[in-house]
Amino acid sequence: MASGTGEVSKKLKLYSYWRSSCSCRVRIALKLKGLDYEYIAINLLKGDQKSPEFLKLNPLGYVPVLVDGDFVVADSFAILLYLEEKYPQHPLLPKDLQKRALNYQAANLISANIQPLRNLLVLGQTHIRKGFAALEKLLENYAGKYATGNEVFLVRFFPRAFINISVYSEYPILSRINEAYKELRAFQDAMPGNQPDTPPEARA
Ligand SMILES: N[C@@H](CCC(=O)N[C@@H](CS)C(=O)NCC(=O)O)C(=O)O
């Protein structure tokens, strides 16, 4: 992990797993902001996240982790806000305070109330449905082409590929805006099928 020369690399490093939706969020932001980064694959199936080296970066043992010089930040939401403040190009947050709050609320709903439950079976599905229903309702008065209007901001939910259950079609707004996001190059580049560690059989 260390360069061994004592020099701190200037290039951003992202510890990521191709299928991880949390990593994908950060990959999208890096692409939208046009930031070049080194992709460091953490194979969650092989348990790379539990290695002592990785646990030094994130004691929780989760991807994504961003390393900027000698600064380390974990958790996709924290990383997105860090990138937003450091690299203002292509803002991930609207200027309007209320729309910013809406983006915080929807992004947190996804990362706290939907994503952690995704891998559980029946119980998870009930809560995910609840989360999607709340998100659909929340965006009702704000959605334009994208989640909170006609510009691309922080809020982005899972593409179909990330969901184990076929709930998407129950939510017309979520389905419609998902199609719009899918047209964007930054989103396509960040998808699981296009990562350096994507196995050949899963390549887009
Ligand atoms: N709140 C965290 C959650 C991170 C998270 O759940 N990461 C998953 C992949 S999406 C992970 O690394 N899981 C490894 C494991 O469960 O061992 C974030 O948004 O970054």
Side-chain angles (χ1 to χ4, degrees):
M1 272 179 205
S3 67
T5 61
E7 274 177 34
V8 176
S9 163
K10 289 215 165 53
K11 197 168 172 181
L12 293 168
K13 290 183 193 165
L14 182 69
Y15 291 77
S16 165
Y17 178 56
W18 66 283
R19 282 186 77 180
S20 148
S21 62
C22 311
S23 303
C24 186
R25 259 176 240 156
V26 175
R27 297 194 299 251
I28 293 170
L30 289 164
K31 293 279 175 193
L32 285 173
K33 288 186 175 289
L35 298 168
D36 192 22
Y37 66 98
E38 184 184 343
Y39 187 107
I40 300 173
I42 294 297
N43 189 327
L44 298 184
L45 296 184
K46 289 198 177 141
D48 291 354
Q49 74 278 26
K50 295 178 189 138
S51 74
E53 269 183 321
F54 186 75
L55 289 173
K56 268 189 219 153
L57 297 175
N58 183 3
L60 266 178
Y62 287 164
V63 289
V65 174
L66 183 83
V67 177
D68 182 11
D70 54 10
F71 177 66
V72 180
V73 57
D75 194 285
S76 60
F77 196 53
I79 297 172
L80 292 176
L81 295 183
Y82 175 76
L83 291 174
E84 177 67 355
E85 297 210 22
K86 182 154 180 191
Y87 305 99
Q89 67 268 28
H90 189 109
L92 300 175
L93 287 166
K95 287 212 161 49
D96 178 81
L97 176 63
Q98 293 183 359
K99 278 213 173 151
R100 282 170 94 87
L102 177 70
N103 270 265
Y104 292 139
Q105 184 179 350
N108 204 44
L109 194 161
I110 294 162
S111 40
N113 300 101
I114 296 177
Q115 186 271 332
L117 299 158
R118 197 161 54 84
N119 293 328
L120 303 175
L121 292 171
V122 182
L123 180 68
Q125 297 199 12
T126 307
H127 287 282
I128 289 172
R129 276 206 162 76
K130 203 171 148 190
F132 273 106
L135 193 57
E136 176 88 5
K137 184 90 194 131
L138 182 67
L139 300 182
E140 210 172 60
N141 296 327
Y142 298 97
K145 185 169 182 191
Y146 303 110
T148 60
N150 290 324
E151 286 170 278
V152 176
F153 291 123
L154 196 67
V155 180
R156 210 272 148 151
F157 47 94
F158 308 123
R160 215 175 267 278
F162 285 124
I163 310 171
N164 301 338
I165 48 180
S166 57
V167 292
Y168 235 54
S169 52
E170 294 168 27
Y171 305 104
I173 298 173
L174 303 186
S175 302
R176 175 173 60 72
I177 61 180
N178 190 46
E179 293 307 309
Y181 286 113
K182 274 187 354 199
E183 297 296 311
L184 300 171
R185 183 62 200 270
F187 284 74
Q188 293 163 5
D189 288 350
M191 283 303 117
N194 294 322
Q195 304 313 308
D197 57 338
T198 308
E201 66 278 11
R203 292 222 152 258

